[in-house]
């Protein structure tokens, strides 16, 4: 599912960049909904999967995930509505495409369910266990997990800016090295306002320029897996992930290939670190727009004043990150035993 929707998103992006179709056309918008639906409702899907993994009722945890992206809560978030629960302020945030909040909520649900089944009579468990879990876990998720994510994201963004002013090379190495981990935990959203604010204030942004190589590093690792994989399904998914990675969509590479195999993800992070350091050294910058990733966003890093060391250094960062990840994964980051374990888990 991740590979299919990821590559569709990549093709849609390519179609707009190449002026094959307008993103205002109804055809493009419908296909965009098809591509985005899986990721937007990820809390629901993950809620169900986490419920099964933690041996609790998956329909309860899926409902918790659904509450996080309920249209009413989304509207409250967009309008900046002030909410309280039993007098406690609720800090709203966007949970679409988030991962960690619903997983933590599912784990808490599993623990609470076991406790309730011990203390409640069997005759009333069918109704009252889900009822109690809903009225306790969902508000607790909005009150505790959401704010914790916000503060963690803000702290990570503040640290990154301080590091950049201290040393662009060190910042690029550290940030790019941990960036995809931050993406998995949903902490990367704190950086989006920084990117946009830098563009509007200064006309350029240096942070995203250092992080852009991470897409190519994950793609390089996925390609190495595709070239070495013996299992047909894994090889097919890896090639698909490689293609979508070049188009700027890393979810298939991360969740479908590199992360399940563990070492390829680590090797990609190492390649990203060196690529980010190079981008920082050459003071690479993103100009006049917002690049999502992939080859079609590269022109946004060309200085309007003309081609120079900044852009060439940026391109070098992409190439270095890609080949370091590919070579490390090929030589040290891939094991057939890990492939077999991943296949067994998937089946």
């Amino acid at each position: 599912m991740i590979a299919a929707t990821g590559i569709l998103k990549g093709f849609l992006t390519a179609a707009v960049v190449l002026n094959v179709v307008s993103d205002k056309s109804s055809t493009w918008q419908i296909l965009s909904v098809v591509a985005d639906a899986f990721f937007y409702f990820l809390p629901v899907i993950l809620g169900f999967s986490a419920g099964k993994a933690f041996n609790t009722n998956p329909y309860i945890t899926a409902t918790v995930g659904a509450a996080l992206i309920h249209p009413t809560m989304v509207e409250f978030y967009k309008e900046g509505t002030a909410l309280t629960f039993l007098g406690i302020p609720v800090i709203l945030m966007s949970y679409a495409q988030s991962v960690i909040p619903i997983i933590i909520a599912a784990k808490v649900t599993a623990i609470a369910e076991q406790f309730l089944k011990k203390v409640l009579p069997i005759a009333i468990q069918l109704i009252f266990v889900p009822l109690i879990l809903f009225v306790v876990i969902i508000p607790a998720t909005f009150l505790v997990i959401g704010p914790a994510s916000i503060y963690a994201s803000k702290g990570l963004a503040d640290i990154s800016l301080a590091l950049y002013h201290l040393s662009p090379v060190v910042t690029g190495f550290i940030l790019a090295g941990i960036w995809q981990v931050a993406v998995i935990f949903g902490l990367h959203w704190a950086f989006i306002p920084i990117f946009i604010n830098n563009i509007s204030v200064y006309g350029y942004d240096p942070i995203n320029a250092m992080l852009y190589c991470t897409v190519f590093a994950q793609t390089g690792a996925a390609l190495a897996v595709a070239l070495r994989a013996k299992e047909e399904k894994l090889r097919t998914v890896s090639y698909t992930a490689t293609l979508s990675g070049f188009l700027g969509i890393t979810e298939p590479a991360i969740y479908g290939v590199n992360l399940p195999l563990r070492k390829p993800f680590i090797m990609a992070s190492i390649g990203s670190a060196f690529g980010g350091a190079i981008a920082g050294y050459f003071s690479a910058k993103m100009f006049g727009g917002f690049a999502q990733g992939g080859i079609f966003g590269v022109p946004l890093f060309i200085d309007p004043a003309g081609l120079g060391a900044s852009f060439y250094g940026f391109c070098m960062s992409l190439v270095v990150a890609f080949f370091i990840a590919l070579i490390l994964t090929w030589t040290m980051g891939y094991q057939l035993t890990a492939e077999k374990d991943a296949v067994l888990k998937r089946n």
Side-chain angles (χ1 to χ4, degrees):
M1 299 304 299
I2 292 174
T5 54
I7 196 170
L8 177 57
K9 290 177 68 176
F11 280 134
L12 289 173
T13 301
V16 172
V17 172
L18 296 175
N19 293 321
V20 175
V21 65
S22 169
D23 58 2
K24 304 299 181 183
S25 70
S26 57
T27 300
W28 189 93
Q29 291 176 349
I30 290 174
L31 290 177
S32 181
V33 169
V34 175
D36 288 337
F38 178 86
F39 296 104
Y40 182 87
F41 291 100
L42 194 57
V44 181
I45 299 170
L46 275 179
F48 190 87
S49 298
K52 295 177 66 177
F54 295 140
N55 295 317
T56 189
N57 189 326
Y59 294 99
I60 294 177
T61 50
T63 302
V64 175
L68 296 179
I69 56 173
H70 190 281
T72 299
M73 299 304 295
V74 172
E75 192 64 26
F76 284 152
Y77 168 74
K78 291 181 179 179
E79 295 179 353
T81 304
L83 294 181
T84 62
F85 183 80
L86 298 179
I88 304 173
V90 177
I91 302 177
L92 296 174
M93 63 180 294
S94 174
Y95 290 98
Q97 303 185 46
S98 65
V99 175
I100 297 303
I102 183 57
I103 292 179
I104 296 176
K107 182 62 177 178
V108 174
T109 299
I111 297 173
E113 183 184 37
Q114 293 178 359
F115 172 77
L116 290 174
K117 286 184 176 180
K118 290 180 180 179
V119 299
L120 293 179
I122 296 179
I124 64 173
Q125 287 183 6
L126 183 64
I127 301 297
F128 283 94
V129 168
L131 175 61
I132 295 173
L133 290 175
F134 286 150
V135 299
V136 172
I137 300 299
I138 293 177
T141 303
F142 283 118
L143 290 170
V144 179
I145 298 175
S149 299
I150 289 176
Y151 292 132
S153 299
K154 185 178 183 302
L156 186 60
D158 291 342
I159 292 173
S160 68
L161 286 176
L163 285 173
Y164 181 78
H165 291 301
L166 180 65
S167 172
V169 175
V170 174
T171 302
F173 187 89
I174 296 176
L175 281 186
I178 66 172
W179 181 247
Q180 293 299 341
V181 177
V183 171
I184 293 174
F185 281 84
L187 301 177
H188 63 299
W189 292 110
F191 290 84
I192 305 302
I194 296 176
F195 300 159
I196 298 174
N197 182 69
N198 286 339
I199 290 292
S200 61
V201 175
Y202 305 110
Y204 61 84
D205 169 61
I207 305 296
N208 197 27
M210 296 186 299
L211 303 175
Y212 205 79
C213 65
T214 61
V215 173
F216 289 83
Q218 293 293 333
T219 302
L223 178 58
V225 173
L227 295 173
R228 294 207 59 185
K230 303 299 182 182
E231 201 260 331
E232 183 178 355
K233 288 184 178 180
L234 178 60
R235 186 167 60 249
T236 300
V237 170
S238 299
Y239 276 121
T240 302
T242 300
L243 177 58
S244 61
F246 279 121
L247 297 176
I249 309 301
T250 56
E251 287 88 351
I254 294 175
Y255 297 110
V257 182
N258 298 338
L259 196 58
L261 294 176
R262 296 183 181 86
K263 279 191 175 182
F265 183 84
I266 296 173
M267 300 306 168
S269 297
I270 294 173
S272 298
F274 282 98
I278 291 174
Y281 177 79
F282 285 96
S283 299
K285 299 178 180 65
M286 178 179 63
F287 297 91
F290 185 77
Q292 286 292 103
I295 57 177
F296 296 106
V298 171
L300 290 176
F301 295 85
I302 300 176
D303 192 330
L307 295 174
S310 173
F311 178 70
Y312 295 133
F314 168 75
C315 293
M316 186 187 302
S317 74
L318 307 184
V319 174
V320 168
F322 177 84
F323 280 104
I324 286 181
L326 189 152
I327 293 171
L328 288 179
T329 302
W330 178 275
T331 57
M332 298 185 294
Y334 184 81
Q335 296 176 336
L336 289 177
T337 54
E339 176 184 328
K340 292 178 181 178
D341 290 342
V343 171
L344 289 174
K345 288 180 180 179
R346 185 171 66 246
N347 292 339

